[in-house]
């Protein structure tokens, strides 16, 4: 634990002044104990260490870390001792959340980041996901999804690493994971959990230093991937690698899932300051596939791609 605390302090000091990386003062054990006694819980140890040794509130993802007085929204008061029921990493959540009992109120959690509108990052303090961060929407626009990080310190250090290494877009942070290219490739190709494979693929979308052979590796992962949601994310990662990656998207036109085929068709186009583009080789691939495609939604997606340019 001490090494992790030291690394985080060092990385905070390395951030440029433009980041305005200010944290509030640390909390005392007495302050934390009073909160825990009031709500009948004990905070996860990694979070307690952060609060007592690094800081409280301030610099962090999106609008920053919330102070203690904003951890518990009024609708969630008195519910911290009740377990947050979702077991992390069982499957990749897709679509809106149809569990009405969770909409607007998430027992067993505190709010650590407000992400805008009705989106929040929560820390689970009671339940099977204790210590993990989970992304939620208070109106159920999407199902809760756990961050890949094992605990609060890992999550916060990843934020610092992403900032220091220059990830191209930090808006995808909640869906990504830590690691260099070799680690991410190993996760994408070999991890048993689709949630982790998807997080690895998402990280390739913004990673600032990737090798020239990555598109071929992503194509290999795409053809071997059994989960449609992970395949969709691999397609987005391929498109993020530039024209060479987009040229490989035609392989997904043979995917058994219509949504995957539709996404591949749309991603084969390229948006530039001059407008939408579709190179002749990709136009030909879409036109050939259109003759055999039987799903109306995929045919519509192909027509949109062809008509954009």
């Amino acid at each position: 634990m001490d090494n992790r605390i030291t690394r985080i302090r060092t990385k905070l000091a390395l951030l440029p002044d433009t980041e305005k990386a200010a944290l509030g003062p640390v909390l005392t054990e007495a302050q934390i104990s009073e909160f825990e006694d009031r709500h009948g819980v004990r905070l996860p140890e990694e979070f307690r260490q952060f609060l007592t040794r690094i800081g409280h509130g301030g610099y962090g993802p999106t609008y920053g870390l919330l102070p203690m007085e904003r951890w518990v929204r009024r609708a969630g008061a008195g519910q911290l001792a009740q377990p947050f029921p979702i077991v992390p990493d069982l499957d990749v959540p897709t679509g809106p959340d149809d569990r009405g009992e969770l909409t607007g109120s998430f027992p067993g959690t505190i709010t650590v980041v407000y992400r805008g509108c009705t989106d929040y990052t929560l820390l689970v303090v009671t339940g099977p996901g204790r210590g993990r961060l989970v992304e939620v929407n208070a109106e159920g626009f999407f199902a809760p999804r756990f961050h890949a990080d094992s605990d609060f310190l890992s999550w916060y250090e990843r934020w610092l690493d992403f900032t220091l290494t220059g990830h191209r877009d930090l808006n995808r942070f909640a869906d990504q994971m830590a690691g260099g290219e070799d680690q991410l490739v190993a996760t994408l190709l070999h991890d048993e959990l689709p949630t982790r494979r998807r997080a690895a693929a998402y990280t390739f979308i913004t990673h600032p230093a990737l090798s020239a052979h990555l598109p071929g590796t992503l194509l290999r992962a795409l053809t071997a991937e059994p989960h449609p949601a992970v395949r969709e994310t691999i397609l987005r990662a391929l498109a993020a690698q530039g024209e060479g990656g987009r040229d490989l998207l035609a392989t997904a036109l043979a995917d058994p899932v219509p949504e995957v085929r539709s996404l591949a068709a749309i991603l084969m186009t390229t948006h530039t300051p001059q407008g939408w583009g579709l190179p002749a080789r990709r136009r030909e691939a879409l036109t050939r596939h259109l003759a055999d495609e039987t799903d109306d939604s995929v045919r519509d997606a192909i027509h949109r791609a062809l008509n954009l340019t």
Side-chain angles (χ1 to χ4, degrees), residues 212-287:
H213 62 258
L214 179 65
T217 303
L218 291 174
L219 181 62
R220 180 157 58 98
L222 177 69
T223 57
E225 175 55 53
H227 199 296
V230 182
R231 295 201 300 276
E232 289 185 1
T233 308
I234 295 173
L235 292 183
R236 297 185 186 278
L238 271 170
Q241 307 314 308
E243 294 304 289
R246 290 181 189 274
D247 285 344
L248 300 177
L249 294 171
T251 300
L253 295 175
D255 196 279
V257 177
E259 289 79 6
V260 177
R261 300 199 300 275
S262 294
L263 179 61
I266 293 300
L267 291 176
M268 287 169 73
T269 62
T270 304
H271 190 243
T272 68
Q274 291 73 40
W276 289 95
L278 185 64
R281 58 189 176 278
R282 298 206 291 266
R283 178 178 290 276
E284 291 169 4
L286 286 172
T287 302

Side-chain angles (χ1 to χ4, degrees), residues 10-308:
T10 299
K11 291 173 183 180
L12 279 166
L14 290 173
L15 289 167
D17 292 341
T18 53
E19 283 297 311
K20 299 180 180 179
L23 288 166
V26 297
L27 295 179
T28 65
E29 285 288 345
Q31 288 172 305
I32 294 174
S33 296
E34 192 278 331
F35 177 88
E36 292 173 332
D37 292 344
R38 181 165 16 112
H39 294 283
V41 298
R42 180 173 174 84
L43 297 177
E45 188 59 30
E46 293 81 5
F47 187 52
R48 288 178 116 262
Q49 291 290 320
F50 184 90
L51 296 172
T52 58
R53 301 177 65 183
I54 296 178
H56 164 238
Y59 182 72
T62 318
Y63 298 117
L65 303 178
L66 295 176
M68 179 187 284
E69 59 267 22
R70 296 184 61 191
W71 288 351
V72 181
R73 300 168 60 218
R74 180 169 299 179
Q79 297 186 18
L80 268 64
Q82 301 176 25
F84 184 68
I86 301 177
V87 178
D89 303 328
L90 288 183
D91 199 4
V92 177
T94 58
D97 185 20
D98 59 1
R99 288 162 292 194
E101 72 277 8
L102 285 183
T103 302
S105 179
F106 302 93
T109 66
I110 61 173
T111 304
V112 293
V113 174
Y114 169 60
R115 286 175 39 81
C117 297
T118 52
D119 293 349
Y120 301 87
T121 302
L122 311 180
L123 175 67
V124 180
V125 298
T126 310
R130 175 177 160 79
R132 294 278 297 273
L133 285 297
V134 61
E135 205 70 12
V136 303
N137 177 270
E139 298 183 54
F141 291 150
F142 58 81
R145 60 185 190 274
F146 280 88
H147 293 227
D149 315 281
S150 60
D151 55 57
F152 185 88
L153 290 178
S154 298
W155 174 82
Y156 193 78
E157 186 172 7
R158 178 166 68 89
W159 168 256
L160 297 178
D161 288 339
F162 276 30
T163 303
L164 287 167
T165 57
H167 268 255
R168 296 190 297 271
D169 182 357
L170 292 174
N171 289 326
R172 298 179 182 272
F173 175 77
D175 294 303
Q176 298 175 314
M177 69 188 310
E181 181 174 343
D182 290 346
Q183 293 170 292
L184 296 170
V185 165
T187 299
L188 181 60
L189 293 176
H190 304 301
D191 201 286
E192 295 181 356
L193 295 175
T195 53
R196 288 182 56 79
R197 299 197 303 273
R198 181 175 179 267
Y202 250 118
T203 309
F204 285 129
I205 297 175
T206 66
H207 202 290
L210 299 171
S211 66
H213 62 258
L214 179 65
T217 303
L218 291 174
L219 181 62
R220 180 157 58 98
L222 177 69
T223 57
E225 175 55 53
H227 199 296
V230 182
R231 295 201 300 276
E232 289 185 1
T233 308
I234 295 173
L235 292 183
R236 297 185 186 278
L238 271 170
Q241 307 314 308
E243 294 304 289
R246 290 181 189 274
D247 285 344
L248 300 177
L249 294 171
T251 300
L253 295 175
D255 196 279
V257 177
E259 289 79 6
V260 177
R261 300 199 300 275
S262 294
L263 179 61
I266 293 300
L267 291 176
M268 287 169 73
T269 62
T270 304
H271 190 243
T272 68
Q274 291 73 40
W276 289 95
L278 185 64
R281 58 189 176 278
R282 298 206 291 266
R283 178 178 290 276
E284 291 169 4
L286 286 172
T287 302
R288 285 197 305 271
H289 183 76
L290 186 61
D292 299 321
E293 179 58 61
T294 58
D295 187 277
D296 287 341
S297 64
V298 182
R299 291 179 62 84
D300 287 344
I302 293 174
H303 281 300
R304 289 200 304 274
L306 293 173
N307 293 333
L308 277 174

